[in-house]
Amino acid sequence: MRAIVLPEPWKAVTAEREIPVPKQGEALLKMVCGGICGSDLASYRGQSAYVSYPRTIGHEFAAEVVEVGENPYGIKKGMLVTGNPYFNCGTCYSCRRGYVNACIHNETMGVQREGAFSDYFTMPVERLFDGAGIDPKELALVEPFCISYHGVSRAELKPGDKVLIFGAGAIGILAGVAAKSFGAKAYI
């Protein structure tokens, strides 16, 4: 199978790899559609303090479940899914308090662990979400939208509020969409 790998900054190659074998509790996924995040670009440019090389990049994706065992999450073979690409330790101070996004041992797909930009990849089943009929191109946007929505939700917006968003990249635009979902007027 093919994978997009950064062997070092400013170098991207297509590498041949073996199809991964899922471990207990994992699903084998076939990439359908992926999004390129700003962190992928930072990794390519050597501007990420967190990436280790060589690294398969990518964490915004829609994928088809190729192989999966029995699981309590309803994930089945043939299903189109996306996933939570952030892996927290569960034991540090932040994790114990429920702030898993602030885990001091965080490992993000495509940064500290292998990413999704390959023909096939594996993920723990509990991190997968049914695409529920969403188009794969839109399903790959779930992760960046969640980032935006989380940030906007912390502002506790009310209908009629006015919000100024600096930055018209993907996260900024999706923050505008999130702000509108709260009934606010967004200026980007």
Side-chain angles (χ1 to χ4, degrees), residues 10-170:
W10 294 102
K11 186 173 184 180
V13 299
T14 303
E16 286 296 324
R17 300 246 172 103
E18 295 291 322
I19 295 175
V21 176
K23 297 175 186 152
Q24 180 70 29
E26 291 183 337
L28 176 64
L29 305 173
K30 180 179 181 183
M31 174 62 100
V32 174
C33 186
I36 298 173
C37 180
S39 66
D40 296 320
L41 296 174
S43 295
Y44 173 74
R45 295 174 181 144
Q47 298 170 332
S48 172
Y50 306 107
V51 71
S52 56
Y53 300 95
R55 180 64 60 215
T56 301
I57 58 172
H59 60 264
E60 300 173 6
F61 67 87
E64 178 186 345
V65 178
V66 175
E67 183 181 324
V68 66
E70 291 289 323
N71 65 82
Y73 306 100
I75 303 298
K76 296 178 176 39
K77 182 177 178 177
M79 184 180 278
L80 190 66
V81 297
T82 193
N84 178 350
Y86 306 104
F87 291 76
N88 60 294
C89 72
T91 59
C92 73
Y93 179 71
S94 295
C95 286
R96 289 192 316 269
R97 293 181 58 221
Y99 299 113
V100 297
N101 61 310
C103 174
I104 63 171
H105 303 290
N106 170 67
E107 290 188 359
T108 300
M109 288 177 65
V111 182
Q112 295 95 348
R113 62 172 47 219
E114 289 299 277
F117 283 7
S118 56
D119 292 326
Y120 296 91
F121 61 101
T122 59
M123 274 194 79
V125 178
E126 72 267 9
R127 297 196 164 279
L128 298 175
F129 300 94
D130 180 357
I134 298 172
D135 180 270
K137 290 178 183 175
E138 295 169 356
L139 190 58
L141 291 172
V142 166
E143 188 273 344
F145 180 73
C146 287
I147 297 294
S148 301
Y149 188 88
H150 174 74
V152 169
S153 69
R154 292 177 55 99
E156 300 180 7
L157 297 178
K158 310 238 180 330
D161 284 352
K162 294 179 182 176
V163 180
L164 176 61
I165 299 169
F166 289 92

